[in-house]
Amino acid sequence: MAADRRIVIENCAIATVDANDTEHASGHVVVAGNRIESVGAGRAPEGLENVARRIDASGHLVTPGLVNTHHHFYQWITRGLATDHNLFNWLVALYPTWARIDEPMVYQAAQGSLAMMARGGVTTAMDHHYVFPRGSGDLSGAIIRAAREMGVRFTLARGSMDRSEKDGGLPPDFAVETLDGALTATEATVKEHHDASFDAMTQVAVAPCSPFSVSTELLRQGAELARRLGVRLHTHGSETVEEEQFCKELFGMGPTDYFESTGWLGEDVWMAHCVHMNDSDIAAFARTKTGVAHCPSSNARLAAGIARVPDMLAAGVPVGLGVDGTASNESGELHTELRNALLINRLGAHREAALNARQALRLGTYGGAQVLGRASEIGSLEPGKLADLVLWKLDTLAHASIADPVTALVFGAAAPVTASFVNGRQIVEDNRLLHADEDAIARSTRAEAQRLARIAVQG
């Protein structure tokens, strides 16, 4: 939409998720071009020029768009497998299949993953892709193309692995890269696709997979590469008890100390999971402003444990929410993670005081923006920020008798999305994607899942 064209949204409840958690029982949002022009109580200002559209949002809650901070898109075509495994056995079961992915599979899987998130209120997505079998094609390009077509804001965490079966790792030898190959390909991806501008739609992070599957040198040189190129760093950390034992046996220290020794703590770093963190680990993350992608459903699915999110937040650690790959969270929806984060954390030491509805919403919006390094641009509804926002319909049977709209959104059933905007452009209307054919994506992802299964059986 042209910069001087406006969309006016009125008569809605608003949760801005700004620094003061400002809310309006009945208010307005004015979008001008790709920016939020004004947010406030009551009707929009009179006399606005070039109003292209007015939306009567009665019965709705408007929030910032949801921000996903950890995912593995390719897993969309291996959902429903190894459903009763812990993390290690799950990886052993699935790596032989994942090692056979190719560009058409990855593109269709990315479409499926993005479609599911976008129709559920995600406006900024990320993908941590780290499986690059030899001869599999341009996988990074395929993922970025799918995100561009879907219309979501996107961060590709260009992953890598250089520790294969012959080195004591889990991936087959042909599914990993060499140290130099991984660094060279990652740098090329950053230079080709990363956009550092305020309203960037595509950004790239450097993202070696995990201590299990990468060498110390890949971690160290990956951190140096990211900082030379001015991009963020992402990996898995402290996900399981077994990872802690692995790090102590191999490196003589726990995961957090190991990461710090390789340059992997800092305000430009975020890590997925961080389930098994002691007080010293949390203090180190707080001191360095290292971020966390909390993935409650996946952690439960793989019996990894309950991350100490309330303690992290109290210490000042930036925390966002992640879907994680859909081989360990088959629904693939981030808005259900608002509820699951709240409920699962109440099973921990803090019980009913662990998280409340507004903290859960903040994790899924502003917290995610912090973790991705974009809190000045997205994550809250404030004048001057980018126009990424969602209209949640809360006047139906599922929510109408809940007086507080934020409570309805977080504690209630998954709310329908009447409209979702990214960069001022609408991508969802009445719970359906506007720029993608959901039925066609369902057919193509099923076909690619079946093709991958056949190839995996053939070996």
Side-chain angles (χ1 to χ4, degrees), residues 227-241:
R227 288 173 179 133
R228 174 166 60 83
L229 297 176
V231 298
R232 297 181 73 75
L233 301 86
H234 181 58
T235 191
H236 297 89
S238 299
E239 186 172 0
T240 63
V241 172

Side-chain angles (χ1 to χ4, degrees), residues 391-420:
L391 280 67
W392 307 93
K393 187 171 178 59
L394 299 179
D395 60 357
T396 68
L397 173 65
H399 303 92
S401 60
I402 304 175
D404 175 56
V406 176
T407 296
L409 178 67
V410 175
F411 278 85
V417 173
T418 293
S420 182

Side-chain angles (χ1 to χ4, degrees), residues 300 306 340-355:
I306 302 172
N340 290 345
L342 185 149
L343 296 180
I344 288 175
N345 279 281
R346 288 189 177 187
L347 295 175
H350 296 273
R351 298 175 64 82
E352 70 275 7
L355 291 177

Side-chain angles (χ1 to χ4, degrees), residues 134-172:
R134 294 169 199 162
S136 56
D138 181 10
L139 305 189
S140 294
I143 296 163
I144 289 170
R145 175 163 55 94
R148 184 179 298 118
E149 292 169 353
M150 197 65 59
V152 300
R153 207 175 297 282
F154 181 59
T155 294
L156 174 67
R158 203 290 181 183
S160 53
M161 300 185 292
D162 67 342
R163 187 192 296 276
S164 67
E165 288 176 323
K166 66 178 174 56
D167 303 311
L170 296 177

